[in-house]
Amino acid sequence: EAQVTQNPRYLITVTGKKLTVTCSQNMNHEYMSWYRQDPGLGLRQIYYSMNVEVTDKGDVPEGYKVSRKEKRNFPLILESPSPNQTSLYFCASSTQGYGGYTFGSGTRLTVV
Amino acid sequence: GNSVTQMEGPVTLSEEAFLTINCTYTATGYPSLFWYVQYPGEGLQLLLKATKADDKGSNKGFEATYRKETTSFHLEKGSVQVSDSAVYFCALSKNTDKLIFGTGTRLQVFP
């Protein structure tokens, strides 16, 4: 089944404790992206990657890092999480072009 | 800059009612337009899309027409079901590197 897999689905952590949210896709898509969803703000792009070793900032990159060492994986790293990073996070992938995007099921992160 | 504006929700309807969720956009050139749906506890799913002016996207009884003259992409369905209850997001893409989303509209359908 073609899908984007994120882990974990739920995570509660403390301020300052480094964490990684994994994202993997099995569709050989070139493009991958991370979004965060907050009430009243919709989804906002954090980082994106056009292909292996090519990443760039989205609209809200502060406090986040990403890497794209393999085509299928695009982890999101929070080096020192803060409470304002409490949110619902989605990974997405697509082929180049205007075909639409496949989203993962989301990771609900709470930073206390 | 590029942006998407959706009507505020929630939209509350009885089963079999007609649905319209308004979406307008601001963008230079000719963006691609999308509707995504998010069911409770799930990720977003692509519902339909249109890539050029006057295109009509359709899926599962939902339709939306790309109107360049009014910069709109309103979502419609002739007869909603309880199972259509979800949050609907309008989005645009100018390049493949970014989807720009509206804030979402919650639809609640009651029997």
Side-chain angles (χ1 to χ4, degrees):
Chain A
E1 180 188 353
Q3 60 186 358
V4 176
T5 303
Q6 294 179 229
N7 281 296
R9 288 293 306 273
Y10 301 92
L11 179 59
I12 301 174
T13 190
V14 296
T15 299
K17 184 176 181 181
K18 181 179 178 180
L19 67 91
T20 299
V21 182
T22 63
C23 173
S24 180
Q25 52 93 2
N26 62 1
M27 296 165 283
N28 202 37
H29 285 169
E30 291 85 5
Y31 169 77
M32 298 185 73
S33 182
W34 277 101
Y35 290 84
R36 60 177 288 174
Q37 182 180 11
D38 300 292
L41 297 176
L43 285 86
R44 294 175 293 169
Q45 190 183 53
I46 303 171
Y47 267 94
Y48 63 94
S49 169
M50 303 287 277
N51 214 323
V52 175
E53 301 292 359
V54 181
T55 63
D56 209 345
K57 296 177 181 179
D59 295 319
V60 288
E62 293 78 19
Y64 305 95
K65 284 175 55 178
V66 293
S67 68
R68 188 87 181 275
K69 294 184 171 61
E70 306 165 283
K71 196 171 187 179
R72 64 183 292 124
N73 296 323
F74 191 47
L76 179 69
I77 303 157
L78 284 72
E79 294 270 3
S80 182
S82 62
N84 64 13
Q85 293 177 298
T86 292
S87 187
L88 180 57
Y89 292 86
F90 288 101
C91 183
S93 73
S94 76
T95 57
Q96 297 288 359
Y98 299 99
Y101 301 78
T102 301
F103 281 79
S105 298
T107 296
R108 184 166 294 281
L109 172 66
T110 302
V111 183
V112 298
Chain B
N2 301 322
S3 65
V4 175
T5 302
Q6 286 182 242
M7 61 189 292
E8 295 259 347
V11 173
T12 304
L13 295 173
S14 298
E15 209 165 23
E16 299 184 3
F18 184 86
L19 168 71
T20 300
I21 299 178
N22 290 336
C23 171
T24 57
Y25 68 90
T26 301
T28 56
Y30 298 90
S32 292
L33 301 173
F34 304 85
W35 277 100
Y36 283 83
V37 58
Q38 185 179 31
Y39 297 103
E42 299 184 13
L44 281 75
Q45 302 174 26
L46 177 64
L47 181 59
L48 54 85
K49 66 179 173 71
T51 57
K52 61 182 186 297
D54 299 323
D55 265 2
K56 177 185 284 188
S58 61
N59 186 25
K60 300 181 180 179
F62 291 91
E63 293 183 340
T65 300
Y66 189 143
R67 301 286 188 199
K68 182 68 175 173
E69 64 275 13
T70 55
T71 62
S72 65
F73 193 55
H74 304 320
L75 182 68
E76 297 181 335
K77 187 174 185 183
S79 176
V80 293
Q81 305 300 311
V82 172
S83 58
D84 293 326
S85 298
V87 180
Y88 292 82
F89 290 93
C90 185
L92 71 81
S93 175
K94 278 294 299 292
N95 305 301
T96 57
D97 59 350
K98 179 187 289 190
L99 269 175
I100 296 170
F101 286 92
T103 53
T105 301
R106 181 175 300 278
L107 170 65
Q108 297 175 325
V109 181
F110 294 95

